[in-house]
RNA sequence: ACGGGUGUAGCUCAAUUGGUAGAGUGACGGUCUCCAAAACCGUAGGUUGCGGGUUCGAUUCCUGCCGCCCGUG
């Protein structure tokens, strides 16, 4: 096989409008690998991590350090206030502009993150029904509907909501046989906001045009090794001041109920602050919940056909890209 | 050492008057097109500490041993 030089490879990737994606489990070394890659190719990093968007949440989300961020330009880190509403769709719309700008500047976008849905939204696209999610009026209307449904759920229970969904959108109802309240609420919410079943919208509307091609990678570890890394990192987080960071967030007035703070690490520390759990137990729980999360991430990425599981090794990624 | 208690799934516990064991949690697997580090669903784990006895049948009753806990020495 004839290997390409890095500059040849870069040229090829740019002309093909390839975006490199590094997904996979938390603590698998995505940050390290992406920075190593940036030493080889003209890259800028586009984060796809639904919690690293938020300011002030540094230790708990294992954000790249300031030093790491000074090596390569990172997008979509610290771009949100913890109170701001965000979603996979909004992310995709915004990040898409970033990708285009990067290509124009001759940079290869490197998407790095563990939020599978966000990566999917960006790289595969959601159906586009034409609503402008940047419109604040639309947003507050949606929130009102969502709150209303949440209320109904609390009062009437999931069975009632499920029957309602069955009546307005049986196709979605069949899809959510597990009666996941979130999914059911979302389907009902879509119907109330737009007047058509979401299952129909999915078919009726095309995805926004995507003029780039993802090359998916994820870092593969034996489960036991990954779990050790997670346990280790959890310990490190605590030593690095996770408690102080959490207290600071509360002092700044951010409520625990915020979606941004419904996050492994912070949740458990809240209980510690309340005296519900000991320090050791808190660390144990964070590690455990992180392991559970990692498992869900792996499940998600497994279903991406074209994804290559690679070792923590830049050369492996480069040679895979050269093919 | 003596008295009392206890020993059931990896962990915490449950099992009506004796009818060959359940739940939570964890583990494992999965779902999910816009709250996704979220929210859900499923599966597998137990010769009920060990031995003996009573009984058609014992986690449940009797007994010996072992371990643990509490109290008294």
């Amino acid at each position: 096989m004839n290997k390409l030089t890095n500059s040849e490879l870069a040229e090829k990737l740019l002309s093909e409008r390839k975006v490199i994606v590094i997904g996979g489990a938390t603590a698998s070394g995505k940050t390290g690998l992406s920075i190593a890659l940036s030493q080889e190719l003209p890259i800028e990093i586009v984060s796809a991590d639904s919690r690293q968007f938020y300011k002030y949440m540094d230790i708990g989300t294992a954000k790249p350090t300031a030093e790491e961020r000074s090596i390569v330009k990172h997008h979509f880190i610290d771009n949100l206030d913890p109170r701001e509403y965000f979603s996979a769709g909004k992310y995709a719309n915004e990040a898409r502009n970033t990708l285009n700008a990067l290509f124009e500047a001759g940079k290869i976008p490197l998407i790095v993150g563990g939020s599978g849905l966000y990566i999917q939204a960006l790289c595969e696209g959601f159906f586009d029904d034409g609503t402008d999610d940047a419109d604040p009026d639309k947003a507050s209307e949606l929130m009102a509907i969502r709150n209303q449904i949440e209320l109904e759920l609390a009062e009437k229970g999931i069975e009632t909501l499920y029957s309602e969904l069955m009546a307005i959108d049986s196709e979605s109802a069949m899809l959510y046989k597990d009666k996941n309240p979130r999914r059911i609420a979302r389907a009902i919410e879509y119907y109330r906001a737009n007047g058509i079943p979401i299952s129909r919208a999915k078919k009726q509307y095309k995805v926004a045009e995507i003029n780039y091609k993802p090359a998916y990678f994820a870092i593969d570890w034996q489960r036991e090794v990954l779990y050790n890394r997670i346990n280790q990192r959890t310990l490190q987080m605590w030593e690095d001041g996770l408690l102080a960071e959490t207290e600071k967030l509360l002092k700044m007035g951010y409520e625990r109920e915020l979606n941004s703070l419904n996050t492994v690490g912070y949740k458990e520390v809240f209980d510690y602050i309340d005296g519900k759990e000991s320090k050791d137990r808190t660390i144990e729980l964070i590690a455990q919940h992180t392991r559970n999360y990692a498992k869900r991430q792996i499940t998600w990425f497994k279903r991406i056909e074209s994804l290559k599981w690679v070792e923590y090794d830049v050369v492996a990624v480069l040679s895979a890209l050269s093919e």
Side-chain angles (χ1 to χ4, degrees), chain A residues 24-274:
Chain A
T26 186
S28 63
K30 297 188 292 291
T31 300
L33 185 60
S34 61
I35 285 171
L37 256 180
S38 74
Q39 302 305 294
E40 309 293 331
L41 297 168
I43 271 171
E44 286 189 17
I45 291 173
V46 177
S47 174
D49 184 306
S50 72
R51 300 293 127 133
Q52 291 183 2
F53 300 143
Y54 297 106
K55 291 171 189 162
Y56 322 119
M57 295 168 55
D58 303 336
I59 298 168
T61 64
K63 244 177 229 172
T65 62
E67 194 196 342
E68 287 168 323
R69 285 197 264 166
S70 72
I71 299 172
V72 216
K73 169 94 179 150
H74 284 65
H75 302 266
F76 293 93
I77 285 184
D78 285 346
N79 58 312
L80 293 178
D81 184 272
R83 217 182 291 283
E84 266 178 86
Y85 170 76
F86 209 54
S87 72
K90 286 187 81 164
Y91 166 77
N93 290 149
E94 290 178 27
R96 199 154 289 142
N97 294 332
T98 305
L99 297 192
N100 286 327
L102 289 180
F103 278 122
E104 244 165 74
K107 297 281 188 181
I108 303 160
L110 174 56
I111 300 170
V112 181
S115 304
L117 183 69
Y118 283 64
I119 291 175
Q120 183 186 333
L122 178 55
C123 296
E124 310 295 334
F126 285 164
F127 68 83
D128 180 14
D129 60 12
T131 46
D132 177 11
D133 59 24
D135 179 350
D137 290 339
K138 284 271 179 190
S140 64
E141 187 194 323
L142 187 73
M143 287 321 283
I145 294 173
R146 187 170 291 181
N147 291 336
Q148 172 61 29
I149 294 173
E150 213 159 286
L151 212 73
E152 291 173 21
L153 175 64
E155 282 174 3
K156 302 176 194 162
I158 188 63
E159 290 300 335
T160 307
L161 279 199
Y162 189 69
S163 311
E164 184 183 338
L165 180 61
M166 191 59 95
I168 60 176
D169 182 359
S170 61
E171 200 174 325
S172 291
M174 293 312 281
L175 187 62
Y176 302 130
K177 282 195 189 122
D178 62 5
K179 297 179 185 170
N180 181 335
R182 276 284 169 83
R183 301 289 106 237
I184 289 163
R186 165 65 186 156
I188 293 176
E189 155 194 309
Y190 190 85
Y191 182 79
R192 290 193 191 169
N194 302 284
I196 66 163
I198 192 168
S199 59
R200 178 135 62 94
K202 284 179 195 169
K203 283 183 264 183
Q204 183 170 323
Y205 300 112
K206 298 234 152 65
V207 300
E209 193 174 342
I210 290 173
N211 55 1
Y212 42 86
K213 293 183 194 127
Y216 293 110
F217 296 92
I219 304 167
D220 197 14
W221 296 100
Q222 284 194 315
R223 190 65 64 89
E224 198 188 333
V225 176
L226 179 67
Y227 282 4
N228 279 333
R229 290 174 64 97
I230 289 172
N231 299 342
Q232 208 65 33
R233 194 182 69 181
T234 304
L235 230 52
Q236 190 62 46
M237 275 184 185
W238 189 272
E239 279 168 28
D240 289 348
L242 180 60
L243 175 59
E245 179 169 284
T246 308
E247 283 170 334
K248 185 182 150 205
L249 281 157
L250 292 175
K251 214 169 292 166
M252 290 171 85
Y254 295 112
E255 303 84 358
R256 309 166 178 216
E257 293 74 25
L258 287 170
N259 181 248
S260 55
L261 289 175
N262 185 190
T263 297
V264 175
Y266 300 100
K267 283 194 277 196
E268 293 79 3
V269 171
F270 291 150
D271 285 341
Y272 173 76
I273 289 172
D274 292 343

